[in-house]
Structures are given as C-alpha cells and as structure tokens.
Amino acid sequence: MHYKAHTVKAAVETLTDLRERLASAESEVEGLRRLAETMPNGVNGKSFADSLPKAEADRDKAAANVADAAADLVKVEARTMQDVLRKVAALLAGDPPEGAFEALTSEAKRILEQDDPVIELAQRQMRIRDFLNSTPNMEESGWMPEDPRVGDAIDALIKLEREIEKTPPRTPEGLAMMLDVKWRETLDVTPGTDIWASIMDDPETRFLATLRYGAHTLAGRKRDFEKLD
C-alpha cells in the first residue's frame, strides 16, 4: 500500500505514524511469543501460539507499509534544504530504501545550485545604492541630482525595489537579501544606537527586524546584530 503525500512534512508524518504502528505490531508478536513459551496451554482453552500467525501477518503488513512510505518519501520533491534535512532525519531513523541517499544528494545539489532572481536584483540594487551614497551631492534631505547620472540611478533604484517586491525569493539567501533591501530602503539604522532603541518600540519595525534576523540566520549570512534587544 502506498501513502502518497504532496509535501515532505506530510510524508515524514505518515512514515513516523506507520513506524509507530509497526513497533506496536512487533511488540504484540514478541509478547505473544513469550506468553506461548511460559503458558503453552494458554488461558481458558485458548492458545497464545494460535494467535501468533495473525499477529505476525499484521506485523509483516505493517513493515511493508513502512517500506512503501519510506520509498514514497524519497520521491516527494524537496523544495528547500530544510525539506532535504527532514527527509534525511526520517530515513536515518529506519532502513532507508536502496538509492535513497543518492537521490537526496541530487536534491540537495539541485536546491543549492538553483537560481534565485531576487539575489541578482538585490545585488544590482545595492550597487546603485552604493553609487548614490558615494556621490558628493548627498544631503540629509535626500539626493540632489545635479549629475544626470544620479537622477538615472535614482529611477533605476526605485524600479529595482518595486521589481524585488514582486519577485518571490526561492532560497534563504534570496529572502535575506530581499529583507536587506526593504530594511535599507526604509530603516537603515545602526543597531545599539539611540535611534535603534527608539524604532524598536514600533511593532511593525521590530517585526521586520525579526524577519531579517531570522532570514540571515537561515541563509548562514553574517548578521549586523546578534540580538534584537
């Protein structure tokens, strides 16, 4: 019997549940065997040995269901590295199907090498922002586009920021860079300063900071602050 699941999480939950059923079936078989040895005449004329064949058949069926569920888990597409790790942990808890880890290695490689359009867009946006920050006509009130290149850069910056907002990230790195863009677009504040303490009183700002912090952690990127408080 195959247990088709559409997500890795659901497939892992199914496999875990079936393993618990298998453990229960194995325990029942072992218990009946001990009773058959210690009480060969059974109870009230009913032999424990007579119950063993059905219990063993149930155990074998449960074992087959576990094997099917493990095979199905291997086939469910991992969408993130977290999915891959879930699959590895679940399969290591039992007997992995043949070729399982070769398939998982291939999945991990695919995910690590997949393109994330947000990364390229964010890199372009950051290069433009660095250019604007380096121009001599930067004032507290904003950019003063005396140089036509500055005006063009501002237009390109705004266009890229809007495009980034409409592009779903596909990787933790892309998510981290998207939140970097949003943070620097609105709240480029140095942690630990009085201004930082002030803006952290705003729930929406703190939520954005928490998201950015978490995204950097998931992506394995260096964070510019170690805690939010």
Side-chain angles (χ1 to χ4, degrees):
M1 181 176 183
H2 284 268
Y3 294 81
K4 297 295 184 182
H6 297 293
T7 67
V8 169
K9 184 178 180 181
V12 168
E13 289 173 350
T14 296
L15 178 57
T16 301
D17 178 63
L18 291 172
R19 280 181 175 151
E20 290 174 355
R21 296 185 194 182
L22 174 58
S24 177
E26 289 174 335
S27 178
E28 183 175 356
V29 168
E30 186 60 29
L32 285 171
R33 283 177 177 169
R34 286 198 299 267
L35 288 170
E37 291 174 358
T38 57
M39 303 174 66
N41 295 325
V43 176
N44 297 327
K46 185 176 181 180
S47 171
F48 292 110
D50 292 341
S51 300
L52 264 175
K54 182 180 183 305
E56 289 172 340
D58 290 343
R59 177 206 56 197
D60 293 343
K61 181 179 179 181
N65 288 341
V66 167
D68 286 345
D72 288 340
L73 173 59
V74 173
K75 295 174 185 176
V76 176
E77 181 182 4
R79 299 177 182 176
T80 65
M81 283 305 298
Q82 187 176 19
D83 278 347
V84 174
L85 293 175
R86 279 189 178 127
K87 292 173 78 168
V88 170
L91 292 169
L92 283 176
D95 294 324
E98 185 176 353
F101 291 107
E102 289 81 355
L104 288 171
T105 300
S106 177
E107 278 197 306
K109 184 177 180 181
R110 170 181 58 78
I111 291 170
L112 289 172
E113 294 178 352
Q114 70 180 340
D115 292 330
D116 190 330
V118 170
I119 293 176
E120 194 270 336
L121 291 171
Q123 288 172 340
R124 285 166 53 195
Q125 189 266 1
M126 290 176 185
R127 285 195 295 269
I128 294 173
R129 183 171 285 277
D130 288 342
F131 162 72
L132 290 170
N133 287 337
S134 68
T135 56
N137 46 13
M138 175 70 177
E139 297 182 359
E140 290 185 3
S141 59
W143 287 293
M144 304 296 291
E146 297 172 2
D147 184 336
R149 294 179 304 165
V150 174
D152 292 342
I154 292 173
D155 291 340
L157 184 73
I158 294 172
K159 182 179 179 180
L160 278 170
E161 287 171 351
R162 300 292 83 80
E163 190 172 354
I164 290 169
E165 288 178 357
K166 296 185 294 183
T167 305
R170 299 177 183 174
T171 62
E173 179 78 8
L175 177 60
M177 294 189 75
M178 171 180 274
L179 290 168
D180 274 350
V181 168
K182 188 64 177 177
W183 181 263
R184 289 168 183 160
E185 177 187 348
T186 56
L187 297 161
D188 199 2
V189 179
T190 303
T193 62
D194 291 341
I195 298 177
W196 171 268
S198 175
I199 66 170
M200 282 297 112
D201 288 336
D202 177 56
E204 290 188 5
T205 300
R206 189 174 183 84
F207 180 62
L208 177 59
T210 302
L211 282 178
R212 181 169 174 256
Y213 179 90
H216 276 239
T217 301
L218 290 173
R221 303 183 77 211
K222 182 179 179 180
R223 299 173 298 228
D224 57 7
F225 55 96
E226 287 302 316
K227 58 182 180 178
L228 295 174
D229 295 327

